[in-house]
Amino acid sequence: MEKQIASLHLVSAFLAMEPTDCVLSHARSLGGGSVTVDVQRFVWDHCISKAIGKCHAPYLKNFLKKLILEIESNHDDVLDELYELYTEFMISLKDENAVKGNVRALKYISFLFPDDASCKDAMVRKLVVPLHCSLNMLEGDTGCSIWPASLFLSEFILSIPDMFSSKTCFEVGSGVGLVGICLSHVKASKVKCLHLPWECASESELQGLEPDIILGADVIYDPLCLPHLVRLLSILVDKSEPSLRFPRAGCDSAIGNSHDYSNRCNSQDVEAARDRAGNASPTKHPIAYISSVIRNANTFDRFLALVDKANLTVADLTGTFQPASLLPYMQSYDRSSIRLFRLSSK
């Protein structure tokens, strides 16, 4: 079973285009400490050969380079196929480090579900999500990157599918659409992608959405956008008649309506997690869940001040609730830096 888990983690890390050092770490784990000939054959058969022509070529070239150096440093034999493919890349790709313009790559994010929540070794189900992601955030393409808070929010949804069943869910700033896809996976009857700029969405337009749950990942980052964000949240979480709200002072959004989900965690875990997340019973008003990495304390303080002015309450759930770890192979994903907040009307 340990080799089965190690091989699953290796393939998942490669498909997600994890940093090459992380992928090599999984390869060493599969080989018992080194990249043996058997491991090389596994990598070739299950990773590299299937990625040729599909994977981002500079990433594959860099991975081959480090893989070969790793094997040679241990004075082991390198498969001929690895040498041959790397030679082809050396001829066809002159500068693998030059990522210019709006370059996208297809990444596959694999969520691994334990069959039994009490057994860490029983990995029998997985959800693989293909996403076209930006490789150059310097070109203003931050919305098309996979941010840690988005991974966290996706784990949150997949950990407690019952909490989202029969609920209309609205995501503020959907980015590459990972959270929306996870909502669909928990049997959403309908998932839409709407272009809804925060600064110009009308109150009637927002009220017409009537969500039960609002979701947002890493949306607390730009001080200039915060008034628009808080105005939007204050309207979405309040089903009462219009009262004191922010005057109209961009991002895409995903909306879904979730129903029954058959492949769930055991009932006791779901019930306990739902209690900790603050949704144990139906609520009169919608609730918002925001996952975020706080990069600037002043920006976050500004957000809290605006939220208080908008007559909203904020609860930090970080210390009381953590979703299931569904991305155990993703060494670049640091959950410890992410905080989870619940927003509701006062």
Side-chain angles (χ1 to χ4, degrees):
M1 180 61 74
E2 289 184 3
K3 281 197 171 185
Q4 180 182 350
I5 299 301
S7 61
L8 178 59
H9 287 184
L10 171 56
V11 173
S12 298
F14 179 83
L15 292 176
M17 289 180 62
E18 277 283 272
T20 53
D21 289 341
C22 298
V23 182
L24 288 174
S25 174
H26 288 300
R28 285 192 292 270
S29 296
L30 181 59
S34 64
V35 184
T36 64
V37 173
D38 288 340
V39 172
Q40 294 177 53
R41 176 56 60 188
F42 178 88
V43 170
W44 176 263
D45 291 340
H46 297 275
C47 299
I48 296 175
S49 63
K50 294 183 178 180
I52 297 175
K54 300 177 182 178
C55 179
H56 185 60
Y59 174 84
L60 189 52
K61 176 186 175 182
N62 187 47
F63 174 69
L64 280 167
K65 178 181 178 180
K66 291 193 174 184
L67 176 63
I68 291 171
L69 287 174
E70 169 90 12
I71 299 167
E72 289 179 339
S73 66
N74 291 325
H75 307 289
D76 292 327
D77 294 329
V78 179
L79 288 184
D80 291 339
E81 293 94 325
L82 300 179
Y83 275 135
E84 291 169 2
L85 183 59
Y86 182 63
T87 301
E88 291 179 17
F89 280 136
M90 287 289 289
I91 297 172
S92 61
L93 297 176
K94 299 300 182 182
D95 187 0
E96 69 272 21
N97 294 318
V99 179
K100 299 178 181 179
N102 190 2
V103 180
R104 303 286 178 87
L106 184 60
K107 298 183 180 182
Y108 295 85
I109 307 301
S110 302
F111 295 94
L112 308 180
F113 298 87
D115 182 48
D116 180 353
S118 64
C119 179
K120 296 181 180 179
D121 295 330
M123 295 289 187
V124 297
R125 294 186 295 115
K126 64 180 178 180
L127 167 65
V128 181
V129 181
L131 298 169
H132 284 280
C133 305
S134 172
L135 296 179
N136 192 2
M137 291 186 291
L138 296 178
E139 293 292 327
D141 207 17
T142 55
C144 288
S145 298
I146 303 176
W147 296 95
S150 177
L151 296 171
F152 187 90
L153 200 58
S154 298
E155 287 184 309
F156 178 59
I157 293 166
L158 296 173
S159 297
I160 324 174
D162 278 1
M163 195 170 102
F164 300 92
S165 65
S166 301
K167 298 291 193 303
T168 298
C169 302
F170 182 88
E171 185 191 7
V172 179
S174 60
V176 294
L178 179 60
V179 169
I181 291 172
C182 290
L183 285 170
S184 178
H185 184 72
V186 296
K187 304 302 181 184
S189 63
K190 187 192 308 182
V191 174
K192 297 179 180 178
C193 185
L194 307 175
H195 180 65
L196 190 64
W198 299 353
E199 68 276 10
C200 60
S202 68
E203 184 165 334
S204 59
E205 185 179 17
L206 293 169
Q207 287 180 325
L209 297 172
E210 297 185 340
D212 298 302
I213 299 175
I214 300 95
L215 300 160
D218 254 341
V219 291
I220 309 171
Y221 64 93
D222 187 345
L224 296 178
C225 293
L226 292 183
H228 306 305
L229 171 64
V230 174
R231 170 186 165 271
L232 183 147
L233 291 173
S234 67
I235 295 172
L236 290 174
V237 302
D238 189 358
K239 284 187 175 179
S240 62
E241 292 297 320
S243 56
L244 179 61
R245 291 195 179 117
F246 274 58
R248 185 181 303 182
C251 291
D252 291 342
S253 302
I255 184 168
N257 187 11
S258 303
H259 291 290
D260 180 58
Y261 178 66
S262 56
N263 295 325
R264 61 194 68 189
C265 302
N266 72 58
S267 58
Q268 291 182 342
D269 287 343
V270 170
E271 193 66 34
R274 188 190 297 111
D275 289 344
R276 290 194 297 272
N279 196 42
S281 58
T283 56
K284 180 180 179 181
H285 298 290
I287 291 179
Y289 292 97
I290 306 294
S291 62
S292 184
V293 175
I294 300 177
R295 299 176 178 84
N296 186 299
N298 291 332
T299 299
F300 184 68
D301 288 343
R302 170 68 173 156
F303 172 74
L304 292 179
L306 290 171
V307 163
D308 183 64
K309 184 179 178 181
N311 207 33
L312 300 176
T313 60
V314 180
D316 190 342
L317 305 181
T318 310
T320 57
F321 175 78
Q322 285 289 319
S325 179
L326 304 179
L327 301 163
Y329 62 89
M330 196 172 283
Q331 298 177 3
S332 65
Y333 170 41
D334 180 14
R335 299 202 334 172
S336 66
S337 63
I338 303 168
R339 294 171 67 177
L340 179 66
F341 302 99
R342 183 183 69 236
L343 278 73
S344 57
S345 59
K346 291 182 179 178

